[in-house]
Amino acid sequence: MGLVTTTEMFKKAYSGGYAIGAFNVNNMEIVQGITEACAEEKAPVILQVSKGARAYANPVYLKKLVEAAVECYPDIPIALHLDHGPDFETCKSCVDGGFTSVMIDASSKPFEENIAITKQVVEYAHAHGVVVEAELGTLAGIEDDVKVSAEDSSYTRPEEVEEFVSRTGCDSLAIAIGTSHGAYKFKPGTKPQLRFDVLHECEKRIPGFPIVLHGSSSVPQEYVTMINTFGGAMPGAIGVPEDQLREAARSAVCKINIDSDLRLAMTGTIRKFFAEHPEKFDPREYLKPARANIKELVRHKLIDVLGCAGKA
Ligand code: G3H
Ligand code: 13P
Ligand code: ZN
């Protein structure tokens, strides 16, 4: 089926009451773990690449890895998306490089400036058949090299979404309702609560329009414990409760971003492997179980959190 845009995926997700998983990819094993799970579970998927991933792996390698997945799994829809595009030039480079979707993240800019930059990206992307995700509101946590404290984060203002969407022409909108980037989110003993009231207010003002949640890792305790048991020093954190994400996926939320959980699975598995096999040094031997655990974690997300298994 080749690479697809998210248009059709979101239409079906909206009416079907589920969300598409958007997983960050940085190397071959991550691409393989995610797409093997999606192929087995017959789930559409968004593979996304950040500015940091482009700098690490070289955009050409990432594009080719995703193309390899498309060739291996022709029966599932796969979109290639730029995550947190920082400026017009980066978005343009991805549009020119064959991405099917880009995010322009000008959410830290004033409203009018966010609109102007987003509109510029939309005009270029749409002229090339590429869709655009934009963002309103500010999430807490760490994304690329930007760190936002909880005090500096701010929920999306529902009264702004309609004007933003109609003036920019964007295709989906990331909103801030209490999720947070990174693997350190939410202190043990607290009760994270997404602001469903804000989500539903936004939904009401832009009916039928796909909403995106960033910062939606749930920090699996199994992997935090594994990392710490085998020499790591991860502070305790509890992530976004999965039942709340499942509830969000039933609403207008059509795309849920998960990155940190996959990193925890990979790191925990490799740490455990080395501790148990100090004599081993073949990367294939330690990357194989890491890839297998990413696959199982993605399978769990597709079935129990996103609800998109069987929707390809
Ligand atoms: O929100 C950011 C994503 O988790 C990507 O992280 O910038 O470290 O690649 P990264
Ligand atoms: P997490 O850090 O919660 O996995 O969020 C990922 C994300 O939003 C990527 O854009
Ligand atoms: Zn994000």
Side-chain angles (χ1 to χ4, degrees):
M1 119 170 34
L3 275 180
V4 300
T5 72
T6 53
T7 308
E8 210 44 41
M9 286 185 190
F10 287 168
K11 224 180 264 170
K12 291 184 181 160
Y14 198 103
S15 59
Y18 61 89
I20 312 292
F23 302 102
N24 289 68
V25 297
N26 294 281
N27 65 19
M28 182 183 79
E29 286 74 13
I30 298 175
V31 172
Q32 289 175 328
I34 297 165
T35 52
E36 279 176 26
C38 292
E40 285 181 16
E41 297 304 326
K42 299 186 176 25
V45 67
I46 298 167
L47 298 178
Q48 55 186 16
V49 167
S50 69
K51 175 181 151 199
R54 282 164 52 90
Y56 168 73
N58 176 328
V60 179
Y61 279 85
L62 292 170
K63 171 82 193 312
K64 297 289 176 194
L65 286 172
V66 171
E67 280 173 0
V70 169
E71 194 172 323
C72 289
Y73 305 115
D75 297 335
I76 55 165
I78 300 178
L80 174 56
H81 173 75
L82 168 67
D83 187 31
H84 293 286
D87 48 43
F88 175 78
E89 288 67 33
T90 308
C91 293
K92 179 178 183 301
S93 156
C94 289
V95 169
D96 296 345
F99 280 51
T100 55
S101 172
V102 294
M103 174 188 191
I104 173 68
D105 181 359
S107 59
S108 62
K109 307 264 194 294
F111 187 68
E112 284 299 329
E113 213 178 312
N114 188 354
I115 288 185
I117 299 171
T118 302
K119 199 162 179 284
Q120 188 191 11
V121 171
V122 167
E123 275 163 15
Y124 188 80
H126 284 183
H128 294 80
V130 172
V131 293
V132 178
E133 174 185 327
E135 179 165 339
L136 257 187
T138 315
L139 268 69
I142 305 163
E143 87 196 26
D144 268 325
D145 38 17
V146 184
K147 195 170 173 202
V148 180
S149 68
E151 303 80 66
D152 290 335
S153 66
S154 57
Y155 297 117
T156 302
R157 291 157 53 86
E159 58 275 25
E160 290 181 348
V161 298
E162 193 181 351
E163 181 184 350
F164 185 85
V165 164
S166 70
R167 284 180 60 196
T168 60
C170 66
D171 303 279
S172 60
L173 184 68
I175 62 169
I177 59 164
T179 59
S180 169
H181 284 112
Y184 303 144
K185 55 182 156 264
F186 311 137
K187 284 203 168 60
T190 60
K191 264 190 172 293
Q193 179 57 58
L194 298 186
R195 289 287 302 273
F196 285 99
D197 56 329
V198 175
L199 169 59
H200 296 317
E201 269 308 310
C202 291
E203 214 176 339
K204 254 195 267 167
R205 290 163 197 255
I206 43 173
F209 195 82
I211 288 176
V212 177
L213 290 188
H214 282 246
S216 297
S217 273
S218 298
V219 191
Q221 296 306 293
E222 176 195 357
Y223 288 118
V224 174
T225 304
M226 199 182 283
I227 288 172
N228 289 338
T229 304
F230 297 106
M234 295 286 303
I238 56 172
V240 181
E242 288 190 335
D243 57 334
Q244 292 185 32
L245 293 171
R246 184 68 197 93
E247 189 181 337
R250 288 197 182 89
S251 73
V253 170
C254 293
K255 172 176 182 271
I256 294 186
N257 288 9
I258 298 170
D259 181 12
S260 301
D261 284 358
L262 307 193
R263 296 181 183 196
L264 291 169
M266 184 160 220
T267 302
T269 309
I270 292 172
R271 277 192 177 279
K272 180 169 186 282
F273 182 92
F274 281 137
E276 291 174 348
H277 306 280
E279 76 291 359
K280 303 258 191 194
F281 64 96
D282 183 340
R284 292 171 299 186
E285 291 190 80
Y286 59 83
L287 290 172
K288 196 172 170 183
R291 181 176 61 191
N293 280 347
I294 287 178
K295 177 177 172 180
E296 291 319 308
L297 184 58
V298 169
R299 191 196 305 282
H300 158 68
K301 300 285 181 184
L302 301 174
I303 296 171
D304 303 316
V305 180
L306 302 155
C308 62
K311 308 294 186 184

